Amino acid sequence: FALAESHISIHTWPEFGYVSIDVFVCNQSSDNSSKAKRICESLIDIFHSQKQNLKPFIDRWSLIHKSMYEHKESDYCHKSTLILSDTGILLDTISEFQHIQVIHHHDWGNVLLLDGVIQLCDTYEWSYHEMMVHVAMQTHQNPKRALILGGGDGGCLRELLRYESIEEVITCDIDPVVTQVARKYFPHVASGFDNIRSTLVHQDGAIFVQEYTELFDIVFVDSTDDSEDGELGGQLHGEAIFADIKKITHPDALIVSYGDSPFSRSDFYQKQYQMFTRNFASVDRYLAFVPMYHSGCFGFFMSSDLPSIPRRFCDHPGQFDDLKYYTPGIHRSCFELPKFLTNKNPSLLQGRDNN
């Protein structure tokens, strides 16, 4: 069984003359690691232990990454929890804008967290970045200029620079520390920043699109901040930004944004979809398997003011030999959605045994 409350557990191995005492403190709402450390130090003094294996204490997100979302009772997933254990901390810093951490996991490699939320990992980042970029790039007839809002790690930039048609990519991310961290700990992701076709701007994306005047063919909103308080990042996912984006895009431009998981965050997914349909003439949705995010099933939105977005594969030339996820077949099939997403009133609980 598992204990979800603060507790001390004792395990004994008499044949080896060994006793293990584990101290567990709840860290969901506050960091109680210092209390656990004091308890352990007191136990060592009390038992006069000749040998200790006291692992270094790190904050709660470094040892266990836990991201929990609360949903209504009607949702399929009331809570979604992702735990990474046996991790080592490589970086723990606070920038002007957010808490930035890099941990190392034995299966996932280096993992980047912003404010405690996983952004990418060595092992699986390609599935997200390839599907964010290539579906729209191979749908647009002649993509030359692209804008990335967010994307300070460089993953989307790397994928865009594969295309021969791309003349310029502007990446606008508010936090320069994210890019510095990506260059050091994820060099294979941040490999495109020094490319002559790449321009990096550290500015609030909402302000950038208000002030910029040249036109883009494709815009990628590569920010996983879904806040609704109008603070940093939240404006990139609010309706106010769309009018400004339209001013700096061609009439046939495509705008791509993440939609999160339609399984573990179905309410948020539907709200995002409704918001795009209110602001654009046409919106298409597609899915990809991204293991590093909740439920593994991840949604994307592709929007345009075209009467309809053609589901075509243009086969633009470029350097694609080392792609790991995206293929022409994936391109054609990713738009096929499960039935619960195409219903007018989707509910994951319909037909599900609740007993």
Side-chain angles (χ1 to χ4, degrees), residues 15-33:
E15 64 271 28
F16 300 114
Y18 182 81
V19 177
S20 171
I21 300 178
D22 299 321
V23 179
F24 176 87
V25 293
C26 293
N27 270 359
Q28 181 172 332
S29 58
S30 61
D31 189 354
N32 296 310
S33 300

Side-chain angles (χ1 to χ4, degrees), residues 8 36 83 100 133 184 212 214 248 266 335:
I8 296 177
I83 295 177
I100 302 174
V133 169
K184 181 175 181 179
Y212 199 76
E214 298 182 44
I248 58 172
S266 58
F335 297 103

Side-chain angles (χ1 to χ4, degrees), residues 28 108 210 217 221 237-238 245 318:
Q28 181 172 332
W108 286 25
Q210 289 176 358
D217 300 300
V221 183
H237 293 278
I245 289 178

Side-chain angles (χ1 to χ4, degrees), residues 164-340:
E164 296 177 5
S165 67
I166 284 293
E167 298 174 356
E168 182 182 18
V169 180
I170 296 180
T171 303
C172 180
D173 192 293
I174 196 170
D175 197 342
V177 180
V178 171
T179 303
Q180 296 168 10
V181 169
R183 284 180 178 272
K184 181 175 181 179
Y185 294 99
F186 305 89
H188 59 292
V189 179
S191 59
F193 285 119
D194 295 325
N195 190 288
I196 192 173
R197 295 177 290 167
S198 169
T199 301
L200 178 61
V201 178
H202 292 301
Q203 184 181 4
D204 187 325
I207 296 176
F208 177 87
V209 296
Q210 289 176 358
E211 299 177 345
Y212 199 76
T213 56
E214 298 182 44
L215 299 180
F216 295 98
D217 300 300
I218 297 186
V219 176
F220 298 92
V221 183
D222 184 22
S223 168
T224 55
D225 189 322
D226 55 42
S227 60
E228 299 178 355
D229 55 7
E231 297 298 330
L232 167 68
Q235 296 182 44
L236 297 184
H237 293 278
E239 300 193 56
I241 197 174
F242 294 136
D244 293 319
I245 289 178
K246 291 182 180 184
K247 292 178 183 177
I248 58 172
T249 52
H250 290 287
D252 63 344
L254 299 176
I255 291 84
V256 182
S257 178
Y258 94 116
D260 218 302
S261 170
F263 285 90
S264 61
R265 301 199 66 197
S266 58
D267 276 356
F268 176 75
Y269 179 92
Q270 293 298 332
K271 289 178 181 178
Q272 286 283 94
Y273 179 51
Q274 293 165 6
M275 179 180 65
F276 283 111
T277 57
R278 286 194 300 268
N279 288 275
F280 292 94
S282 56
V283 181
D284 217 339
R285 297 176 287 171
Y286 62 94
L287 301 175
F289 185 70
V290 184
M292 62 187 179
Y293 297 145
H294 288 281
S295 83
C297 179
F298 202 77
F300 298 87
F301 299 112
M302 184 164 61
S303 307
S304 178
D305 271 340
L306 291 170
S308 63
I309 301 174
R311 291 185 178 181
R312 61 192 172 202
F313 176 74
C314 293
D315 199 17
H316 297 305
Q319 303 297 321
F320 309 122
D321 290 343
D322 60 339
L323 291 181
K324 297 181 179 179
Y325 190 99
Y326 178 83
T327 66
I330 290 289
H331 180 101
R332 298 182 179 95
S333 65
C334 68
F335 297 103
E336 296 297 328
L337 302 177
K339 187 175 182 180
F340 76 88

Side-chain angles (χ1 to χ4, degrees), residues 121-135:
C121 69
D122 281 332
T123 308
Y124 299 119
E125 54 83 15
W126 38 265
S127 62
Y128 171 83
H129 290 126
E130 290 182 18
M131 290 300 288
M132 169 69 95
V133 169
H134 294 295
V135 175

